[in-house]
Amino acid sequence: MSTLTKRSGESVVQRRKTAGGGSNSGGAADREADDDDHYEEQDVDEVSKETRMTLMEEVLLLGIKDREGYTSFWNDCISSGLRGCMLIELGLRGRIELEKSGMRRKSLLNRKVLLKSDTPTGDVLLDEALKHIKETDQPESVQNWIELLSGETWNPLKLRYQLRNVRERLAKNLVEKGVLTTEKQNFLLFDMTTHPVINSTIKQKLVKRVQDGMLSRWPNDPHRMEKRLLALIYLSHASDVLENAFAPLSDEDYEIAMKRVRELLDLDPDAEAMKGNTNDVLWSVIAAFVK
């Protein structure tokens, strides 16, 4: 599921050529779920506090062309990327976890996803995914869940796990939050609903958050980064929309940012997940896309 790091002229705007700067029960489980519902507020950037955007919405917003109101027709990665975002959201909110690695130290991709709490998140898409995970007959791995939620399965009995119209539903969420609007465009042979950006300030803040995370606020250690920012960078890359955030950068800053992205991609998720204060679901999703 890995994607190329080369620049795509089709999906980005022209960047400047000038050099620039830079499953538990009881009170404890309920409290944990309540804490996770606050989006790990100590780690959330101001842009997310203002609009309460989920990770899926942030990735989609990075991929949507401001005026046209749709993602690139050539982007075939964003579908699975958005499903990965859902699993990370559920993991960060304390709804799912991975089974223990055991004495034989199972790799992240071989560990099954387990239900930790079935408390609704309040987000329709996340709760739909959580319901599927709760009702599955046999636990599945993260990679299998990404494929099942995307409808990529040869087993007709598992097609019921597919989440449909995800991009359109996420776009409508952003319309309700005042970030996008809804228009109809005619493409000769058919009409298409589009969602141009109307609150450019929110998108610019999101883009700047990504840029700063790889430039001025780069900590040189993924475990010192906000978990949501780390997930956003990895999943934006997996969804082939990270380039959109880097497009306005000068050549020098672009090269620095991409060098650091490659450093993140070269990390071993299994080794990183064994370090302190980590989230196994987050690193398992990362492993599904970079391996």
Side-chain angles (χ1 to χ4, degrees):
M1 292 187 184
S2 61
T3 59
L4 298 176
T5 58
K6 66 179 181 180
R7 310 203 70 182
S8 171
E10 184 68 31
S11 62
V12 301
V13 297
Q14 182 67 31
R15 60 189 173 92
R16 296 192 301 270
K17 293 300 181 181
T18 57
S23 152
N24 289 335
S25 59
D30 292 339
R31 286 194 299 273
E32 182 178 6
D34 290 340
D35 290 342
D36 286 317
D37 274 338
H38 286 84
Y39 286 77
E40 292 189 331
E41 288 196 11
Q42 70 276 18
D43 286 344
V44 181
D45 191 84
E46 195 171 301
V47 62
S48 290
K49 287 183 179 179
E50 289 178 354
T51 60
R52 309 301 291 179
M53 287 191 292
T54 62
L55 185 59
M56 306 91 71
E57 292 165 351
E58 289 178 331
V59 169
L60 181 66
L61 184 56
L62 287 177
I64 285 182
K65 300 178 181 181
D66 290 9
R67 294 183 180 179
E68 293 87 344
Y70 50 82
T71 57
S72 170
F73 290 123
W74 312 110
N75 189 337
D76 58 355
C77 305
I78 195 169
S79 178
S80 58
L82 291 174
R83 271 68 174 187
C85 289
M86 294 179 193
L87 295 177
I88 291 179
E89 276 283 358
L90 291 174
L92 292 178
R93 297 188 188 203
R95 299 311 196 274
I96 61 174
E97 61 185 352
L98 295 188
E99 65 178 343
K100 303 302 180 184
S101 58
M103 296 293 294
R104 306 175 78 174
R105 303 301 305 177
K106 285 185 181 179
S107 68
L108 290 170
L109 294 180
N110 288 327
R111 292 163 64 183
K112 306 300 184 183
V113 175
L114 304 177
L115 182 71
K116 188 176 182 181
S117 170
D118 61 358
T119 305
T121 65
D123 181 278
V124 176
L125 276 171
L126 290 179
D127 289 342
E128 191 174 334
L130 186 64
K131 181 174 179 287
H132 288 324
I133 293 172
K134 179 182 178 180
E135 295 179 351
T136 185
D137 297 327
Q138 296 292 332
E140 302 280 356
S141 67
V142 160
Q143 189 157 19
N144 284 350
W145 270 118
I146 293 173
E147 295 171 354
L148 290 173
L149 295 175
S150 301
E152 298 175 2
T153 176
W154 293 101
N155 188 340
L157 298 178
K158 293 188 176 183
L159 285 174
R160 61 191 177 97
Y161 296 130
Q162 180 183 5
L163 297 181
R164 302 180 184 277
N165 304 317
V166 168
R167 267 180 272 191
E168 180 63 21
R169 293 163 72 181
L170 289 173
K172 287 181 178 178
N173 288 348
L174 290 172
V175 170
E176 293 176 359
K177 294 175 181 180
V179 182
L180 306 178
T181 188
T182 301
E183 296 180 354
K184 287 282 187 180
Q185 286 196 26
N186 181 274
F187 288 87
L188 297 180
L189 298 178
F190 61 93
D191 292 331
M192 187 175 82
T193 301
T194 61
H195 300 282
V197 176
I198 57 171
N199 192 333
S200 58
T201 301
I202 294 298
K203 182 165 184 178
Q204 289 169 4
K205 286 183 178 181
L206 177 61
V207 169
K208 188 175 187 302
R209 178 185 171 209
V210 174
Q211 293 175 351
D212 288 349
M214 303 309 294
L215 293 170
S216 61
R217 298 175 62 185
W218 172 249
N220 204 31
D221 180 357
H223 299 282
R224 294 173 58 193
M225 295 181 71
E226 300 165 356
K227 289 186 179 70
R228 288 185 170 275
L229 177 57
L230 182 67
L232 178 59
I233 291 169
Y234 269 111
L235 271 297
S236 295
H237 179 271
S239 302
D240 202 18
V241 300
L242 183 59
E243 179 76 25
N244 296 0
F246 292 163
L249 293 174
S250 66
D251 290 347
E252 181 181 358
D253 284 346
Y254 175 84
E255 292 301 327
I256 293 173
M258 288 307 302
K259 177 178 178 292
R260 290 168 177 171
V261 169
R262 287 190 290 270
E263 289 176 8
L264 290 178
L265 296 174
D266 288 339
L267 294 174
D268 181 359
D270 283 284
E272 299 302 321
M274 294 176 64
K275 299 179 181 178
N277 192 30
T278 61
N279 185 285
D280 286 352
V281 175
L282 166 61
W283 285 105
S284 184
V285 172
I286 292 172
F289 286 102
V290 302
K291 287 192 174 182

